[in-house]
Amino acid sequence: MPSNKSVARKAETALTMEDLAKLAGVSKITVSRALRDSPLVTVETREKIRALANEQGYRFNVSARNLRMGRSYSVAVVVEMTPVRGRPMSDPYPLELLGGITQELTTAGYSVVLTSKQLMNTAPVQGADGLILLGQGSHGEAVRTLQQTGMPLVVWGAPEPDTDYIVVGSDNRKGGISAAERFIAQGRQKLVFLGDVDHAEVQERCAGFIDAMGGRATVHIIRPKAFTFEAGFDSISALLKKKGANFDGVFAASDLLAMGAIRALAEKNLRVPENVSVIGYDDTPGAASFVPPLTSVHQYLRDGGVLLAKKMLGLIEGLPVASEMLPTTLMVRQT
């Protein structure tokens, strides 16, 4: 076994991972995992190996490792969302999903490449080991675009019939059902659903909502193309201008739509919830602090991000992976 001095002299030219493993008294795979911050190695061992690596001037050759393994150890996250002033990228969606994804992938030694479907031809995206898509897009267009790459794909959204890609999402149908049950308990009978049902998730929310009403109320569907405060305000304002407009409940596909609807109602001196009850979706941080505090369907987005990453890692490793839905919870407040 070589002495520390002889290994140190060798480090001046080309210290290998095998040399570092001999110095640390561990296996080569343990060194590799430690230098990637893998949770499979104890904190104590990771710190010991990193200290030795720094002392010996060793640098982990990521490119060589990737070439040897035939992987880039990166995953491209494609955000299907057009940022607008009323709905910036700093909203909880997609940031909470991204937080969960990043936490899980970096722990496993993978880097995250954040991109959009317009930038699919860039080298970092094409070299990734897989794709995570946040949002299926209108009529599933974004999914079809990414499927053409032939890369492993996991999608945040709602499962659709006759598709073979892996989907992680919230139980949107159950979310719609919980909103309907709330309105039924309040005795609301003339309802408005506010959201673009061309999106699979919104379609599921609407379907669950209407099915749960079971004919006990009329449901008028309004389909704004945006998920913003302005879209909610404009949609309800336009409805209130119509002769004979009469409704006592609004179920919106996002909190921003719901907040815009409440503002439109207030401008016509209609009180919430006395005259019209309003329920939003997502339970964003602003929902609880809104005036009045907004009743909303809560999605566990951070947990969803972790699950998306776990499914992707499973696909990369060739393990059996199935779609999975997370629960939702109706957060009852004052609207």
Side-chain angles (χ1 to χ4, degrees), residues 280-333:
Y281 211 101
D282 292 333
D283 189 32
T284 54
S289 59
F290 192 71
V291 180
L294 179 66
T295 296
S296 181
V297 179
H298 182 80
Q299 295 196 87
Y300 298 89
L301 295 176
R302 188 173 185 85
D303 292 343
V306 170
L307 196 53
L308 283 164
K310 285 183 175 179
K311 301 289 185 185
M312 174 51 63
L313 292 171
L315 286 178
I316 292 171
E317 295 296 334
L319 302 175
V321 177
S323 296
E324 191 170 340
M325 294 294 109
L326 293 165
T328 58
T329 303
L330 183 68
M331 308 301 292
V332 177
R333 299 191 180 96

Side-chain angles (χ1 to χ4, degrees), residues 8-159:
R9 280 196 299 272
K10 186 176 181 181
E12 293 176 8
T13 54
L15 187 74
T16 67
M17 188 178 291
E18 189 175 6
D19 296 329
L20 196 58
K22 289 176 180 177
L23 277 175
V26 298
S27 67
K28 186 176 172 182
I29 187 63
T30 298
V31 171
S32 175
R33 287 171 175 167
L35 295 177
R36 291 189 284 112
D37 280 330
S38 170
L40 297 175
V41 180
T42 65
V43 174
E44 269 187 335
T45 302
R46 271 184 270 167
E47 289 177 352
K48 174 186 173 182
I49 291 170
R50 285 189 172 277
L52 267 174
N54 288 334
E55 178 187 318
Q56 299 296 328
Y58 177 81
R59 293 293 177 268
F60 187 36
N61 192 329
V62 174
S63 297
R65 185 278 310 268
N66 292 352
L67 186 62
R68 183 174 66 253
M69 299 295 291
R71 294 183 186 174
S72 67
Y73 285 89
S74 69
V75 171
V77 179
V78 184
V79 180
E80 172 54 22
M81 174 182 174
T82 303
V84 294
R85 192 170 57 116
R87 193 189 183 211
M89 292 285 282
S90 55
D91 269 7
Y93 175 90
L95 282 190
E96 286 193 33
L97 283 170
L98 285 169
I101 290 168
T102 303
Q103 168 191 311
E104 193 67 21
L105 288 180
T106 54
T107 298
Y110 281 73
S111 59
V112 176
V113 179
L114 183 61
T115 188
S116 68
K117 73 176 191 292
Q118 289 79 18
L119 299 174
M120 292 299 297
N121 292 328
T122 58
V125 176
Q126 291 189 335
D129 295 328
L131 302 171
I132 295 176
L133 173 62
L134 303 186
Q136 292 154 287
S138 180
H139 299 291
E141 292 171 3
V143 176
R144 287 192 292 275
T145 298
L146 267 62
Q147 281 183 305
Q148 292 172 7
T149 66
M151 298 167 67
L153 174 65
V154 181
V155 178
W156 172 263

Side-chain angles (χ1 to χ4, degrees), residues 57 195 229 275:
F229 181 99
N275 300 120

Side-chain angles (χ1 to χ4, degrees), residues 186-208:
Q186 293 176 317
R188 309 292 179 173
Q189 295 183 323
K190 297 177 181 179
L191 307 174
V192 173
F193 179 84
L194 190 59
D196 184 3
V197 293
D198 286 341
H199 290 261
E201 291 174 273
V202 178
Q203 188 178 73
E204 283 291 292
R205 293 167 198 176
C206 184

